[in-house]
Amino acid sequence: QVLSLPIVVIVHGNQDNNAKATVLWDNAFSEIDRVPFIVAERVPWEKMCDTLNLKFMAEVQTTKGLLRDHYFFLAQKIFNDHSASPEDFQSRSVSWTQFNKEILPGRGFTFWQWFDGVLDLTKRCLKSYWSDRLITGFISKQFVCKLLSTEPDGTFLLRFSDSEIGGVTIAYVIRGKDGSSQVENIQPFSAKDLSIRSLGDRIRDLGQLRNLYPNIPKDQAFGSHYNSEWGAL
């Protein structure tokens, strides 16, 4: 006999996502001296935050973990509650069903499927941007509008798509001649898109993007991520 980390045997690749969720939950929340296969059905949200943070840093291979504002956004998402405060969520527990069974409102996927898509995208295409804190990432479209609506024309930030698994989108503000503002969201970029042309070069291409929120010129923020070969063409 030998103790090991949890394992799941699958027979098809489409079971991979659910298997990873099972392993993560079992590894993070089971007791060492438990009855075999018995795992808590609900865990404190704070403990879930620690688990998601460790998983994110390990998968992406970065030292820059999730921040307090990120946890707040994730809590709103998994609990489907946009009226509670960060402190309210600290006393809540999250269930396995909320984590990996229930479909998110208005979507076709679960919380874990969405989060795992973010992990994969960041690991494959966005590690350096995340590690340089150039991606806000975990933030709602509504809050982005609130942040950018008072900013100068061309101010932008990057967030993970709510509507697509494994997508990153750019939100930016357009200010009219009358002073009115409108926040636009560019169609999310997938890992396939970013393998064709990097995020840095795409940002350089888009003339309407001027300053990374709150006020960093885009060439200063992303210049080290530009592909010099493209610039020489």
Side-chain angles (χ1 to χ4, degrees), residues 34-196:
R34 64 175 174 169
V35 176
F37 309 111
I38 299 299
V39 189
E41 176 59 28
R42 304 185 69 88
V43 298
W45 171 243
E46 284 192 310
K47 194 169 183 179
M48 173 60 75
C49 289
D50 291 339
T51 298
L52 293 177
N53 183 48
L54 290 173
K55 179 67 173 176
F56 189 93
M57 289 195 295
E59 283 287 322
V60 178
Q61 291 292 292
T62 179
T63 59
K64 301 298 174 61
L66 305 184
L67 305 175
R68 178 181 172 85
D69 288 345
H70 297 153
Y71 294 136
F72 183 42
F73 166 76
L74 293 172
Q76 290 177 318
K77 196 173 192 68
I78 201 168
F79 291 113
N80 189 30
D81 186 348
H82 297 274
S83 61
S85 69
E87 291 70 31
D88 293 333
F89 288 124
Q90 289 178 1
S91 60
R92 295 194 189 183
S93 293
V94 61
S95 68
W96 165 252
T97 298
Q98 290 169 313
F99 179 68
N100 190 48
K101 293 295 183 182
E102 290 180 351
I103 300 299
L104 293 172
R107 307 301 181 202
F109 44 81
T110 66
F111 174 86
W112 168 250
Q113 287 173 326
W114 175 84
F115 189 83
D116 188 48
V118 168
L119 281 179
D120 184 65
L121 175 71
T122 308
K123 175 174 63 177
R124 293 168 60 185
C125 305
L126 304 175
K127 176 182 175 179
S128 60
Y129 302 92
W130 175 269
S131 296
D132 289 343
R133 290 297 191 201
L134 299 175
I135 298 176
T136 305
F138 299 102
I139 186 172
S140 68
K141 182 183 291 188
Q142 294 76 15
F143 193 55
V144 167
C145 289
K146 181 179 178 181
L147 282 182
L148 296 184
S149 61
T150 57
E151 295 298 321
D153 187 49
T155 304
F156 69 98
L157 58 73
L158 292 90
R159 66 178 187 85
F160 298 123
S161 173
D162 270 329
S163 59
E164 296 186 17
I165 294 177
V168 62
T169 187
I170 302 171
Y172 65 98
V173 63
I174 300 173
R175 193 164 294 282
K177 294 180 179 179
D178 61 354
S180 62
S181 65
Q182 180 178 342
V183 176
E184 297 284 349
N185 287 270
I186 294 172
Q187 179 71 23
F189 300 121
S190 65
K192 181 179 179 180
D193 296 326
L194 298 178
S195 68
I196 297 171

Side-chain angles (χ1 to χ4, degrees), residues 215-233:
N215 188 30
I216 308 173
K218 75 173 183 182
D219 290 342
Q220 177 182 329
F222 291 92
S224 62
H225 299 276
Y226 294 161
N227 186 327
S228 58
E229 292 181 6
W230 281 85
L233 295 178

